[in-house]
Amino acid sequence: MTITRSIKIVFCLLVFPFCCVTAQEEYTWELGGAIGGSFYMGDANNSTPFKDTGIAGGFIARYLLNPHMAIKGNLTAGRISGDTRDFKNVYPNGEYATFKRTIFDLGAQFEYNFLGYGIGNTYRGDRRFTPYILGGLGFTFAPKPAKTIFTMNIPIGVGVKYKATPRINIGCEFTMRFSLSDQLDVTQREGLQLEDPYQIKGKGWKNKDSYAFTVFFVTYDLFPRCKDCNN
């Protein structure tokens, strides 16, 4: 073995770890948390977004398919409330209702980034910042006071994300959750029941309750997708 060949081998062994680090701009998972606000749309609020906003927060995980696509899971808790006393509609017998409750949301969504998201691969158009859209399927759990509700929901939303460092992501996201229940605003056993205040039954998605989360999130990249060093 010649001296020149030995030097090349030693050089490759020294450079290889740094080459892999350079390639580790892509990761397979993101884990983190989110905090923000939640509001409800239904029989006590059918036209005013962000009315009676309560606190919301939870955990999120993303499986990164590629720079444009990801699958995200969430476990989020939020506070929703409503009051019909300042409502323009008049309910039968002049009755009114108020409610407050905590809801828990477990779901999965498919995310599409409009720009390739990442650092280090600008040759293919990746950017530190991108807007994105999402849609998926979720489950809503709302414990008592009046009755416990467990139902499905369809989340649809938009967001923006920014890669603050090679492994830290920050962003903001708004999602509307369309539930299959009309009882999220039923928290009392007597008086006006917002489940069916006009005695008009709804089928399918008609006359159902929905709620929204607006959150700021921070996630950390895990499990690098290391590429081979090509020399």
Side-chain angles (χ1 to χ4, degrees):
M1 182 180 294
T2 64
I3 296 177
T4 302
R5 183 173 176 78
S6 299
I7 292 174
K8 288 183 178 180
I9 292 174
V10 172
F11 177 79
C12 286
L13 291 174
L14 292 174
V15 169
F16 181 78
F18 298 99
C19 184
C20 267
V21 169
T22 302
Q24 289 176 0
E25 298 295 348
E26 294 184 6
Y27 295 82
T28 56
W29 284 91
E30 291 178 23
L31 296 178
I35 190 167
S38 54
F39 68 88
Y40 140 95
M41 301 287 285
D43 292 304
N45 176 29
N46 58 17
S47 62
T48 309
F50 301 101
K51 183 180 180 182
D52 299 319
T53 298
I55 191 170
F59 303 96
I60 60 176
R62 283 189 180 93
Y63 178 69
L64 308 175
L65 299 170
N66 57 54
H68 281 279
M69 292 180 255
I71 297 174
K72 183 183 70 179
N74 75 276
L75 176 59
T76 308
R79 190 74 170 169
I80 61 172
S81 62
D83 190 337
T84 67
R85 283 176 290 187
D86 59 353
F87 205 43
K88 293 182 179 179
N89 291 351
V90 177
Y91 287 120
N93 303 318
E95 292 185 289
Y96 68 89
T98 64
F99 81 95
K100 291 182 180 180
R101 81 185 316 163
T102 300
I103 55 174
F104 298 90
D105 184 286
L106 176 66
Q109 304 98 45
F110 173 80
E111 293 183 347
Y112 179 77
N113 302 322
F114 289 103
L115 303 174
Y117 185 63
I119 295 178
N121 293 314
T122 55
Y123 68 91
R124 68 182 183 190
D126 290 358
R127 298 290 184 269
R128 299 178 75 126
F129 170 86
T130 183
Y132 64 92
I133 56 175
L134 63 88
L137 181 67
F139 298 93
T140 305
F141 174 69
K144 298 177 179 180
K147 61 171 66 175
T148 297
I149 307 299
F150 182 75
T151 185
M152 294 176 61
N153 72 71
I154 302 294
I156 299 174
V158 296
V160 293
K161 61 179 74 169
Y162 177 74
K163 189 166 280 293
T165 74
R167 302 187 73 168
I168 296 178
N169 311 276
I170 60 176
C172 179
E173 179 181 289
F174 172 83
T175 54
M176 200 75 198
R177 316 279 172 135
F178 300 94
S179 84
L180 275 175
S181 174
D182 192 26
Q183 299 180 336
L184 296 182
D185 46 18
V186 177
T187 58
Q188 54 190 16
R189 299 184 182 278
E190 299 179 353
L192 178 66
Q193 297 299 306
L194 293 176
E195 175 186 359
D196 188 16
Y198 294 111
Q199 302 299 310
I200 300 175
K201 298 295 183 181
K203 295 182 179 180
W205 296 100
K206 186 178 181 180
N207 296 333
K208 304 304 183 184
D209 297 329
S210 59
Y211 56 94
F213 294 129
T214 303
V215 296
F216 296 91
F217 63 81
V218 178
T219 61
Y220 186 76
D221 291 354
L222 296 171
F223 310 122
R225 186 181 285 119
C226 187
K227 303 174 183 177
D228 293 333
C229 184
N230 298 316
N231 293 313

